[in-house]
Structures are given as structure tokens and as C-alpha cells.
Amino acid sequence: MKEINTEDYRVTGKEKLSEIDTYEDFNESEKKLKKELKNIRKDLGDFQDTLYAHGKYGVLVCLQGMDTAGKDSLIREVFKDFNVRGVVVHSFKVPSTKEKKHDYLWRHYVALPERGKFSVFNRTHYENVLVTKVHPEYILGENIPKIDSVEDIDDEFWEKRYNQINDFEKHISDNGTIIFKFFLHLSKEEQRQRLLRRIELKQKNWKFSPGDLEERKLWDKYRACYEEALIKTSKEHAPWFVIPADNKSAARLIVASIMMEALKKYKDIEEPELDDEIKANLETFKQELEKETT
């Protein structure tokens, strides 16, 4: 299989989603793609063990995409070989009453990864410049000073939000959080097929909501909001990657490849050395244990 050029998927500030492919298979079979992923996710799991022992960095993985883009299954397959205590998944829904008592970033801040661990945000703080931009009336529920009507939510308001998110990510990056942001780029036709499967397959019925069809009617608005958010918030310390998502196996492989390639560059992440005194007495400790009787 040819080497994946991960930079092909990085947002540089000039992208138009309408011009980016939503399908990739690298001219390989499904079996080959799954085999490649299996190798990389094993390396990612080993890296997480070292990350935990090192104890100075956390890793934040942000996943965004339209309904049915494959976020849940991607999480399941990419992180399958992790120590279960080494990765925490947060699926952000409509803010609770308590969460609305705080600023919109609060619930995301408290869910950030501990040093040595991965956190995966299944939907993220970017919902606050995506779904709320498509439905600005949702902002009124946040009880923000001087925002009393939808008319108060102007271009300056959204520009401030982009800046606040950039500042938030710069702050956590400067303090040891490695950030990955992936937009799962799904075609409208593929979403239609996946929604149909949710209706036709009984075991998938629970995933279907009539609201999905209402949001689908706003496809173009969502795409415009995604495009603006990606361009305004893709930074060197917190880059966005647009992942073709029509082929789930390829999407998972690309995401895993991007993470592994970037994480390998952190040469300071290594298992700590034993104290010299302990190291000098390892043989003594070994003999002590071997003398024990069961």
C-alpha cells in the first residue's frame, strides 16, 4: 500500500469543501485497509502506555461531522488497542441546565485529558459556532449579557467566538495538551444511504431520529458554517484535517495515520529512567522475590 501523505488532509486556510473528495480507498481492498489500521492502532496503544509513564502531555482528539459521518465507529476501531483507562470519550449533547450556568467552553474545559491520557470529544466545542450559527436562537438560552434577541448575534459576535476558541486551544496547547481536530467529510448522498439503513435495519432503528431529516434540509448552511470554522481555527498548534468519510475503513486509517505520524515527533515522550539506586539493586530485588515460597 502506498504511503499516506497526511499533509494532504490538513486545512491551510484556502479549502472549499465542495472541491474536496469525500471518498478514498487508496485502490486497496477493505481487508487491506483494515490490516493497515490494525498495525497503526497497536502502535498508538503502545504510545499511550509511554505517554502515561512520561506523564507530561495529554492528547485531545476532536471529531466533527454531519449526522451519520461515522464518529462512533471510528472511535471504536481506532482506539481498540488502548488500555481502557488511557482513553476517555465525551459525547457532548444539548447543554444541561447546570452547563448553561457557565460559559460555553466550561463543560469542555473540565473534560480535557489528564496528563498521560487521551480524551476524545465526539462533537466538540465547535458546536458553538456550528449548530448555534445555523440556529442562532439557541444562543439566547445561554443568557449572555447584552444578547437579548437574535438580532444581537451579529458577525462581530461570531468573530469573537472564533477568537475565544483559538485562545482556548492555544492555552491548553501551551500547557501540554496535544490537539487533533478531524472533520469527517461526508457526501449528502452517502448520508442519505446511511439514514435509509437506519430505517431499514431493525438493529439500527434506535439511531434514527426524524430530526435528522430536518437538519439534512439545512445541509448547505451547515457546510458553509463548517467551512468558515475550519479556515478560521486551523492553527499550527491545533490543526484541522478534512477526512473523506464516505469509506469508513479509509477514514479510520487516515485518522490513525495522522495521529501516529504527529505523535512520533514528540521525541521527549519516553518512559522515565529508574532511579540510579533502584537500578543498581534490581538483581537484589529479583533474588529476594525468587527466594519467596508459595
Side-chain angles (χ1 to χ4, degrees), residues 82-134:
F82 275 54
N83 183 316
V84 293
R85 294 181 296 177
V87 58
V88 182
V89 178
H90 302 273
S91 185
F92 293 103
K93 306 296 185 183
V94 176
S96 66
T97 300
K98 179 178 176 60
E99 288 167 343
K100 286 182 179 179
K101 295 290 185 181
H102 297 269
D103 71 274
Y104 70 94
L105 286 173
W106 176 80
R107 65 174 180 159
H108 304 285
Y109 195 94
V110 299
L112 289 172
E114 299 174 15
R115 300 188 193 280
K117 293 188 178 183
F118 280 63
S119 282
V120 182
F121 285 4
N122 183 350
R123 298 193 184 276
T124 72
H125 43 294
Y126 283 93
E127 291 292 292
N128 297 284
V129 290
L130 293 168
V131 67
T132 54
K133 198 168 185 183
V134 175

Side-chain angles (χ1 to χ4, degrees), residues 50 53-54 268 270-279 282:
T50 304
H54 183 250
D268 57 325
E270 55 186 10
E271 293 180 1
E273 290 284 336
L274 281 173
D275 179 90
D276 288 343
E277 184 176 348
I278 295 177
K279 190 186 298 185
L282 283 178

Side-chain angles (χ1 to χ4, degrees), residues 4-11 26 240-242 244 254 258:
I4 296 174
N5 183 359
T6 62
E7 288 302 304
D8 287 346
Y9 306 98
R10 183 190 291 264
V11 174
F26 302 106
W240 273 108
F241 295 89
V242 176
I254 295 167
I258 289 170

Side-chain angles (χ1 to χ4, degrees), residues 1 4-10 24 26 33 36-45 47 59-65 69-80 82 87 118-121 178-186 239-264:
M1 179 173 169
I4 296 174
N5 183 359
T6 62
E7 288 302 304
D8 287 346
Y9 306 98
R10 183 190 291 264
E24 177 61 85
F26 302 106
L33 294 174
E36 289 292 324
L37 173 61
K38 186 176 180 180
N39 293 334
I40 296 174
R41 75 184 181 206
K42 175 65 168 59
D43 291 340
L44 282 170
F47 178 88
V59 179
L60 174 63
V61 180
C62 298
L63 299 176
Q64 284 287 160
K71 297 181 291 296
D72 290 334
S73 61
L74 185 147
I75 293 168
R76 181 187 68 235
E77 295 301 323
V78 170
F79 297 96
K80 186 175 284 186
F82 275 54
V87 58
F118 280 63
S119 282
V120 182
F121 285 4
I178 302 168
I179 305 169
F180 295 99
K181 300 184 298 191
F182 300 107
F183 170 60
L184 303 187
H185 187 31
L186 188 72
W240 273 108
F241 295 89
V242 176
I243 310 299
D246 284 3
N247 182 341
K248 289 185 177 183
S249 293
R252 297 162 187 165
L253 177 58
I254 295 167
V255 167
S257 299
I258 289 170
M259 287 196 293
M260 195 69 255
E261 182 178 303
L263 292 171
K264 283 180 178 177

Side-chain angles (χ1 to χ4, degrees), residues 16 25 47 76 78 125 145 149-150 209 217 223 235 237:
K16 286 190 175 296
D25 62 10
F47 178 88
R76 181 187 68 235
V78 170
H125 43 294
S149 69
V150 171
S209 167
K217 294 174 184 176
R223 188 164 68 175
K235 306 296 180 182
H237 59 274

